[in-house]
Amino acid sequence: MWYWLFKYVLLGPLLALIGRPKVEGLENIPDEGAVILASNHLAVMDSFYLPLVVRRRITFLAKSEYFTGTGIKGWFTRWFYTAVGQVPIDRTDADAAQAALTTAERILKGGKLLGIYPEGTRSPDGRLYKGKTGLARLALHTGVPVIPVAMIGTNVVNPPGTKMLRFGRVTVRFGKPMDFSRFEGMADNRFIERAVTDEVIYELMGLSGQEYVDIYAASLKNGVPQQGGTAGQPAARFPETAAG
């Protein structure tokens, strides 16, 4: 209930006024069934404007720490993240990556829309960064289609490093569903996972018009020296049929 109140009454109208969202390709979102929405990530507001323009409810994964706080602040944080459609990562697995995969698979088995940011973190400078292979692992394990989503202008409405919102124009552009069934039975192959991830990032680059940088955004944020990363585009796509 709170999700829809936030969307249509408490927060959505204000965001619509500030960002005047323009939507393209919304017909690519099916009316039902599990789908992975793979989006670039420019600002915190990505997680608000994307659900605002999609008729179906979108679920995002969130750190379990957001749901375990104590006191009034902990209660409010837990309530807010639940209300806006985020769920905690199941920490019953010792491996954090596997824990995220387990939680995501559970959501998709329920026929829901799952929102994912392949870059793993917000872009530090507006460019598009190398994707992490968790997205591919999830798509290959579940067989669920991936729809690339380009968020444009959210970093103007919500400049990185600030909590203030500014008037601007947000565009949300949906690409056509990507089917990776040609790789059936090849899950957990790291070369296939990298190829699938790069293919999604390639689509995001075309949809968003961003410059691509072949390093992880988190590495840049953490001050790790760039090793071989160059601006350009992801590795060439895999052929339509898997090569041996």
Side-chain angles (χ1 to χ4, degrees):
M1 180 186 72
W2 282 108
Y3 181 93
W4 304 110
L5 282 175
F6 269 111
K7 180 173 180 175
Y8 292 116
V9 180
L10 301 178
L11 192 57
L14 176 62
L15 293 179
L17 176 65
I18 293 174
R20 298 177 297 137
K22 175 184 177 183
V23 187
E24 300 176 5
L26 189 60
E27 68 276 5
N28 292 322
I29 306 292
D31 292 333
E32 58 183 19
V35 172
I36 299 171
L37 299 179
S39 173
N40 63 333
H41 200 12
L42 296 174
V44 172
M45 283 293 109
D46 293 331
S47 297
F48 292 83
Y49 276 101
L50 180 51
L52 181 64
V53 302
V54 176
R55 290 184 291 270
R56 295 176 58 189
R57 176 169 180 159
I58 302 174
T59 301
F60 293 90
L61 300 185
K63 295 187 296 184
S64 59
E65 289 78 6
Y66 290 150
F67 299 82
T68 57
T70 58
I72 295 177
K73 181 179 179 181
W75 175 87
F76 179 80
T77 301
R78 181 169 57 255
W79 169 79
F80 178 78
Y81 277 96
T82 301
V84 297
Q86 302 203 25
V87 299
I89 293 174
D90 184 353
R91 294 292 186 176
T92 56
D93 291 294
D95 183 352
Q98 183 58 45
L101 180 63
T102 299
T103 306
E105 287 183 343
R106 173 170 51 82
I107 292 168
L108 292 172
K109 286 179 180 178
K112 299 179 181 179
L113 294 183
L114 177 69
I116 289 181
Y117 298 113
E119 294 167 276
T121 187
R122 295 189 299 276
S123 171
D125 54 16
R127 295 185 293 178
L128 183 67
Y129 284 81
K130 187 175 182 179
K132 296 190 174 183
T133 57
L135 162 67
R137 191 173 303 120
L138 180 61
L140 294 172
H141 271 276
T142 62
V144 169
V146 177
I147 294 180
V149 186
M151 305 297 297
I152 303 170
T154 49
N155 55 337
V156 175
V157 170
N158 176 211
T162 71
K163 295 182 179 179
M164 298 297 294
L165 298 182
R166 301 176 181 177
F167 287 99
R169 187 65 187 269
V170 171
T171 297
V172 185
R173 186 173 294 145
F174 298 92
K176 294 186 180 299
M178 303 177 71
D179 177 16
F180 296 106
S181 59
R182 64 188 185 276
F183 298 127
E184 184 177 358
M186 305 179 74
D188 299 318
N189 180 309
R190 63 188 181 93
F191 297 107
I192 298 297
E193 291 176 353
R194 173 46 57 192
V196 169
T197 302
D198 286 347
E199 189 169 337
V200 174
I201 293 294
Y202 185 90
E203 289 297 317
L204 287 176
M205 183 178 69
L207 287 170
S208 68
Q210 291 172 279
E211 177 186 352
Y212 175 73
V213 185
D214 194 27
I215 58 174
Y216 294 114
S219 297
L220 187 64
K221 287 183 176 181
N222 295 331
V224 177
Q226 180 174 327
Q227 298 179 355
T230 57
Q233 63 182 40
R237 297 187 183 188
F238 241 77
E240 289 303 310
T241 55

